[in-house]
Amino acid sequence: VALSGSGAVVLKPKVSPVGKLAAVIFFAAFWNGIVSVFVWQAVKGWMSGSPDWFLTLFMIPFVLIGLGLIGGIVYQLLALFNPRPQLTLAAAALRLGSLSEVQWEIRGAVARIGQLTISLEGREEAIYRRGTSTATDRSVFLKETVFETRDPRAMGTGRAALAIPGDAMHSLEAPHNKIVWVIRVHGDIARWPDVNEEFSLMVLPHGTAGGVA
């Protein structure tokens, strides 16, 4: 392997905790807004003494999903108070077969984390149409643990080697297919939402500028 070194860069999370909360709020409002129209029709039937049993039973799973989304809002709201990881990579982009270094700093109440795991993940994402909507299939082709500890003293700050396999697929973005590389930081917190952040990583093909041979 070769050691990359074209200037350190601070990685940004793919979606911030505030962004996750906003997305869940938007989807919950959209979903429950539509469901409430049909629920009100069912309620009016019961109030008038002519209940529509089919509509009532049909709406039960949709109402349960809506309640689950409200629970998701609470979950993401609590996650705002989690410790926040910051990652610094030795190079802005790596290439297949390269070796670099990742540094981390966990800001906040690190002692709340029971186990910290930093892993490298490569996955393929295929986007296709399903009726009038689009769906995305994700398939993980590589997942390697970069660092793992239960010792709170080793969680706050540290560094570890980051090796990109030479026989894997480089980052790719096509209209219907993507090869995505991320560094995932997972902190297990008992009886509380876990720390779960992804940081995008650009992996270049062999022989492409972006690292030192």
Side-chain angles (χ1 to χ4, degrees), residues 12-16 123 125 180-182 197-200:
K12 294 183 178 181
K14 292 188 67 176
V15 183
S16 68
R123 62 176 180 255
E125 298 182 357
V180 178
W181 288 85
V182 298
E197 301 288 347
E198 282 190 355
F199 298 81
S200 296

Side-chain angles (χ1 to χ4, degrees), residues 7-203:
V9 60
V10 176
L11 301 180
K12 294 183 178 181
K14 292 188 67 176
V15 183
S16 68
V18 174
K20 293 177 183 178
L21 176 61
V24 174
I25 290 175
F26 174 81
F27 189 65
F30 177 78
W31 180 275
N32 287 310
I34 295 176
V35 170
S36 65
V37 175
F38 298 95
V39 170
W40 177 239
Q41 294 299 319
V43 170
K44 286 198 300 183
W46 283 89
M47 293 175 62
S48 66
S50 302
D52 186 337
W53 282 98
F54 175 78
L55 179 60
T56 301
L57 295 174
F58 179 77
M59 291 307 300
I60 288 176
F62 295 94
V63 172
L64 293 176
I65 293 174
L67 293 174
L69 290 171
I70 293 174
I73 294 175
V74 176
Y75 183 93
Q76 293 299 335
L77 184 61
L78 294 176
L80 290 179
F81 300 95
N82 275 346
R84 300 284 183 87
Q86 178 179 292
L87 299 186
T88 302
L89 198 62
L94 305 176
R95 61 173 184 247
L96 296 175
S98 66
L99 177 66
S100 187
E101 182 181 74
V102 59
Q103 301 180 35
W104 68 87
E105 178 182 357
I106 311 294
R107 299 175 177 177
V110 178
R112 295 170 56 205
I113 300 176
Q115 177 171 311
L116 177 68
T117 304
I118 301 175
S119 56
L120 174 67
E121 184 174 302
R123 62 176 180 255
E124 181 180 6
E125 298 182 357
I127 303 171
Y128 62 92
R129 296 196 64 83
R130 179 184 293 167
T132 58
S133 61
T134 59
T136 303
D137 279 345
R138 293 177 173 85
S139 176
V140 176
F141 60 82
L142 181 139
K143 186 172 184 178
E144 294 183 352
T145 299
V146 176
F147 178 82
E148 189 172 53
T149 185
R150 292 180 177 272
D151 184 357
R153 297 170 297 180
M155 295 180 186
T157 60
R159 60 182 62 192
L162 185 67
I164 307 297
D167 57 353
M169 182 63 183
H170 57 79
S171 299
L172 176 68
E173 184 164 355
H176 301 290
N177 295 86
K178 293 181 180 180
I179 300 296
V180 178
W181 288 85
V182 298
I183 299 176
R184 181 187 294 274
V185 179
H186 183 269
D188 182 55
I189 302 179
R191 298 180 296 278
W192 194 266
D194 291 344
V195 176
N196 193 14
E197 301 288 347
E198 282 190 355
F199 298 81
S200 296
L201 183 66
M202 176 63 67
V203 175

